Amino acid sequence: MGTIGLTAVGALVGLTLWLWSAISAARDMGRNTADVFVAIAPSQARAWRLCAIAEAISEVGSWRDRTVDPRRRVAGVLWSAVRRCLEVDQLEKDLERASAHQALAELADEARARIDHDRDTLDRVQLNLGKVLLAARAIDQQRRDAARAAERRRAREREEAELRKRLGDTLATNTPGGTDDEVERSAGIAIEAETVAELLRDSDRILREPD
């Protein structure tokens, strides 16, 4: 089973809100200081989903560093919503039993109306907490994208600096004059080779001609 606490000062672990100031929060709310935890089972689907969303929020970096929910209101909302879930669950059980008593028909109608209202409220709370989770994750994704872009920029700058140095060193040690000299020398070799080839062709032709 999961366990949730009264305030959101600490971190969520599993489906547990670890609270640093649950006792003082209980006093502030006028509750008995022993009444600061409730157990939630997976069979209590609505409350369990709310806890799961709150847990997911607690794992997001932008929530942990207080960019999102800096006043730590998520767990307070979660506490109230889960308590309402438990009240609705109990009210539904009582309503089922009351349906067998005609004298309780009016109270049963009021209970149904209360259940419908509370279900709608809890659905909206779940939707809003889901939006918090999506927004927090979007912030984290933007941060990751920005970090990757910054790393690519730094890598490009490092490459540019390396190439600037290498190109500068190469251009400083290899002057255009040296390159021109190599052109002239290679041209001389080419002329020499062509001359030799031509002489050999002429010699071969002369040797093949009849006397």
Side-chain angles (χ1 to χ4, degrees):
M1 289 190 296
T3 303
I4 71 162
L6 188 62
T7 58
V9 183
L12 284 154
V13 180
L15 288 181
T16 300
L17 277 172
W18 178 40
L19 307 174
W20 294 350
S21 59
I23 300 301
S24 62
R27 291 196 186 101
D28 291 342
M29 295 177 66
R31 294 183 180 275
N32 188 303
T33 55
D35 183 27
V36 293
F37 296 101
V38 289
I40 302 300
S43 60
Q44 297 164 298
R46 192 183 298 273
W48 190 268
R49 285 196 302 271
L50 288 168
C51 290
I53 294 172
E55 176 196 5
I57 291 171
S58 75
E59 295 173 348
V60 182
S62 59
W63 186 87
R64 290 179 177 273
D65 66 17
R66 294 178 180 268
T67 301
V68 172
D69 187 26
R71 290 188 284 166
R72 288 298 183 255
R73 292 170 293 175
V74 167
V77 170
L78 176 64
W79 171 262
S80 297
V82 167
R83 291 298 294 263
R84 182 172 294 199
C85 285
L86 300 181
E87 291 169 1
V88 169
D89 289 346
Q90 184 59 53
L91 191 57
E92 287 176 334
K93 293 175 183 177
D94 292 342
L95 176 60
E96 183 177 357
R97 295 174 60 195
S99 62
H101 300 271
Q102 184 63 34
L104 299 178
E106 186 175 346
L107 284 175
D109 289 341
E110 292 181 13
R112 289 189 190 92
R114 171 69 65 83
I115 290 171
D116 289 342
H117 175 272
D118 286 354
R119 281 177 175 174
D120 179 65
T121 297
L122 290 168
D123 286 343
R124 284 184 286 167
V125 170
Q126 181 176 324
L127 177 63
N128 289 333
L129 289 179
K131 290 178 179 179
V132 173
L133 176 59
L134 290 176
R137 285 176 171 172
I139 291 171
D140 274 22
Q141 185 61 51
Q142 291 169 5
R143 289 174 172 175
R144 288 191 293 269
D145 292 343
R148 283 194 291 267
E151 179 54 34
R152 287 195 297 268
R153 184 172 61 254
R154 286 191 294 269
R156 186 176 181 84
E157 290 171 352
R158 289 193 298 267
E159 181 182 42
E160 182 179 313
E162 177 188 355
L163 291 172
R164 180 180 290 108
K165 184 178 184 304
R166 289 174 58 182
L167 289 170
D169 292 346
T170 300
L171 292 174
T173 56
N174 294 283
T175 62
T179 303
D180 292 343
D181 180 62
E182 290 166 357
V183 170
E184 293 177 2
R185 290 167 60 193
S186 61
I189 296 171
I191 292 172
E192 180 181 293
E194 291 171 348
T195 300
V196 170
E198 185 177 354
L199 289 174
L200 289 174
R201 283 196 301 272
D202 291 344
S203 174
D204 186 63
R205 188 177 64 255
I206 292 171
L207 291 174
R208 290 170 183 265
E209 289 179 356
D211 294 337

